[in-house]
Amino acid sequence: MNLAEAIILKNVEKHPIKAAIGFKKKEEAWKELSWKKFSEIIFKTANALKESGVQENDKVAIYSDNSSEWMIVDLAAMAMGAITVPIYSTNNAEQAEYIINDSGAKAILVGNQMQYDACLDILQKGDNSLETIIVSKKAVWIKKEFSSFYLEDFIAKASSELEIYKKEYDDTATLIYTSGTTGTPKGVMLTHGNFIKAFDSHFEFFKFKTLKKSFHWHSYP
């Protein structure tokens, strides 16, 4: 089973109008996305990735602080059969370039100006697999002529209908690299089954009987 299917479809069916995620950016009011709306944005992102040339088992990197966009691109890539490659938001340009080249990432989500500038430099070199840069925030200045898109614009015309790609438990869901603080980052393959079993164990241990909320705090520049 695809991890995206396990997370999204069950909750859309059971809790379509309940909050899937909540987030607060800078001085803005607290916002929530229902499971139905959350799934629609994920599916639009998945279709936009497909239209940009990302195919099954291609790599989609995420070089950003934790955010709602991080989760959306992560689940979208899995939903359309790709493999996600998270990059520590604190990695420098050289470390990010190594991970992009080593994994063969075809598209990447970035969150701030430093991350975008680093990826633009990598893309302009033209000696790697990177083809598309997606930017989560419009506060970041981009060069649209170099395959750079704000996420909002990237998904604007994409369909919100998607048949989630079928995956086996042993299929790779993500490549997680070490931080690189003690040497060259090393990638570890985690499967869809790894994550699904972890979720199952989580629910079994905490004995959840109804939909609960959990909180994840992070900085938002």
Side-chain angles (χ1 to χ4, degrees):
M1 176 183 285
N2 191 315
L3 175 61
E5 180 180 356
I7 293 175
I8 299 167
L9 296 188
K10 181 191 298 183
N11 285 297
V12 169
E13 181 180 348
K14 290 184 176 181
H15 317 288
I17 63 173
K18 286 190 175 182
I21 60 170
F23 51 92
K24 187 178 187 298
K25 301 179 179 180
K26 292 187 177 180
E27 301 303 318
E28 296 179 8
W30 184 267
K31 297 180 181 179
E32 290 184 338
L33 293 177
S34 69
W35 277 105
K36 185 175 185 299
K37 183 63 176 177
F38 188 44
S39 68
E40 289 174 353
I41 296 173
I42 290 168
F43 292 167
K44 285 174 70 71
T45 305
N47 283 318
L49 286 169
K50 289 167 66 176
E51 291 166 7
S52 73
V54 176
Q55 300 177 10
E56 178 193 0
N57 293 326
D58 280 344
K59 312 303 189 303
V60 177
I62 303 175
Y63 185 26
S64 170
D65 290 328
N66 294 341
S67 64
S68 56
E69 294 88 358
W70 201 112
M71 291 185 284
I72 286 166
V73 171
D74 184 40
L75 288 169
M78 292 186 197
M80 53 79 57
I83 296 169
T84 57
V85 183
I87 300 174
Y88 280 88
S89 62
T90 54
N91 279 163
N92 60 36
E94 182 180 357
Q95 292 168 325
E97 182 173 13
Y98 174 82
I99 293 172
I100 289 168
N101 289 338
D102 187 65
S103 66
K106 201 167 186 177
I108 190 166
L109 173 77
V110 299
N112 62 36
Q113 193 69 56
M114 181 277 290
Q115 294 157 354
Y116 173 74
D117 291 343
C119 291
L120 178 62
D121 183 60
I122 295 166
L123 186 147
Q124 288 180 307
K125 288 180 180 179
D127 58 356
N128 52 72
S129 58
L130 189 61
E131 296 178 0
T132 305
I133 305 174
I134 307 163
V135 183
S136 61
K137 297 185 283 289
K138 289 197 171 183
V140 176
W141 180 81
I142 67 173
K143 293 185 177 181
K144 294 184 178 181
E145 64 270 26
F146 291 105
S147 299
S148 303
F149 307 89
Y150 295 116
L151 179 61
E152 181 181 341
D153 300 333
F154 183 68
I155 70 173
K157 296 181 180 179
S159 171
S160 59
E161 299 291 329
L162 179 77
E163 183 176 350
I164 294 178
Y165 197 91
K166 298 299 180 185
K167 288 288 186 177
E168 300 296 330
Y169 271 44
D170 290 337
D171 287 334
T172 301
T174 187
L175 290 174
I176 296 181
Y177 281 78
T178 56
S179 64
T181 54
T182 59
T184 302
K186 298 174 178 62
V188 177
M189 295 182 290
L190 295 179
T191 68
H192 288 266
N194 289 148
F195 285 109
I196 291 170
K197 289 297 184 183
F199 277 116
D200 289 345
S201 298
H202 182 81
F203 273 82
E204 181 180 351
F205 180 82
F206 288 104
K207 308 297 182 186
F208 291 139
K209 294 181 179 179
T210 58
L211 189 66
K212 301 291 184 180
K213 292 183 179 179
S214 63
F215 289 85
H216 186 108
W217 298 99
H218 63 87
S219 61
Y220 199 95

